[in-house]
């Protein structure tokens, strides 16, 4: 959808002419490719961008909220999990040369909200989503969903520290004459 890029482009000619002036922007835009690991913004969904632009002497500050729906498989049982990223934003845009290296770049009279939206949404996606805090995951032996059945297999994980110690003990035994 080519529209998304236009929707997120805001004409700021008026703001640049009059410092301390404000402009509100409320748009819903669809952006492709927003994902971190297995978590992604629901394909085809729209992201709510609800911000106010204010011109300062050294740029334009964008404050407000960005809201996106995400989905991902549960880290333990792979069941689909969904949620909402609701991010408060406060970011600066500056024309080049920027004096603030964290500022987004402002090109001419068009302020492009897309890089800001992408950055804040991606940072908010869960790295290890769970369907619920006590999800029991899948059986490591037969793959059964332990939230639904008890297959009877021993689920005690082998602690890697013990495994390392056992390896060390074996080596010591081998080396001892
Ligand atoms: Zn789960
Ligand atoms: Zn099992």
């Amino acid at each position: 959808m080519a529209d998304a890029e236009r929707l997120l482009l805001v004409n700021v000619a008026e703001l640049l002419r009059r410092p301390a002036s404000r402009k509100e922007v409320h748009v819903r835009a669809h952006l492709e490719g927003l994902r971190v690991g297995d978590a992604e913004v629901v394909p085809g969904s729209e992201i709510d961008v609800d911000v106010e632009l204010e011109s300062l002497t050294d740029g334009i500050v964008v404050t407000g909220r960005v809201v996106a729906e995400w989905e991902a498989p549960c880290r333990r049982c792979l069941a689909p999990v969904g949620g909402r990223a609701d991010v408060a934003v406060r970011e600066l845009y500056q024309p080049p040369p920027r004096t603030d290296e964290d500022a987004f770049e402002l090109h001419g009279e068009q302020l492009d909200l897309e890089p800001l939206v992408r950055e804040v949404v991606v940072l908010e996606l869960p790295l290890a989503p769970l369907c619920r805090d006590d999800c029991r995951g899948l059986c490591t032996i037969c793959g059964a969903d332990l939230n639904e059945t008890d297959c009877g297999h021993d689920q005690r994980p082998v602690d890697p520290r013990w495994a390392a110690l056992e390896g060390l003990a074996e080596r010591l035994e081998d080396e001892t004459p």
Side-chain angles (χ1 to χ4, degrees), residues 139 142 151 153:
C139 171
C142 73
C151 59
H153 287 126

Side-chain angles (χ1 to χ4, degrees), residues 4-19:
E5 281 121 52
R6 274 211 306 280
L7 280 173
L8 292 172
L9 271 184
V10 183
N11 187 302
V12 291
E14 193 67 19
L15 287 181
L16 292 171
R17 269 197 293 279
R18 294 172 35 224

Side-chain angles (χ1 to χ4, degrees), residues 138-146 149-155:
L138 302 178
C139 171
T140 50
I141 296 160
C142 73
D145 185 340
L146 299 173
T149 55
D150 180 4
C151 59
H153 287 126
D154 186 355
Q155 305 300 328

Side-chain angles (χ1 to χ4, degrees), residues 91-159:
E91 299 288 345
L92 182 67
Y93 277 74
Q94 289 188 319
R98 289 168 297 169
T99 53
D100 181 340
E101 61 178 22
D102 293 328
F104 289 92
E105 212 162 74
L106 176 62
H107 301 284
E109 297 182 334
Q110 299 288 323
L111 185 146
D112 187 0
L113 288 171
E114 184 178 335
L116 178 155
V117 171
R118 284 188 176 278
E119 184 175 304
V120 300
V121 170
V122 162
L123 284 174
E124 204 67 17
L125 292 178
L127 291 174
L130 290 176
C131 62
R132 56 183 213 227
D133 286 344
D134 62 348
C135 171
R136 303 178 65 199
L138 302 178
C139 171
T140 50
I141 296 160
C142 73
D145 185 340
L146 299 173
N147 298 307
E148 289 170 3
T149 55
D150 180 4
C151 59
H153 287 126
D154 186 355
Q155 305 300 328
R156 274 178 303 180
V158 178
D159 188 320

Side-chain angles (χ1 to χ4, degrees), residues 1-5 7-8 26-34 40-50 65-71 83-86 117 121:
M1 298 183 205
D3 280 343
E5 281 121 52
L7 280 173
L8 292 172
H26 307 288
V27 289
R28 290 173 62 82
H30 169 84
L31 289 178
E32 295 281 349
L34 284 173
E40 64 178 340
V41 170
V42 176
S45 70
E46 289 184 321
I47 297 171
D48 260 314
V49 180
D50 198 351
R65 290 169 68 199
V66 174
V67 180
E69 306 290 335
W70 58 264
E71 62 183 18
R84 158 183 290 234
D86 186 337
V117 171
V121 170

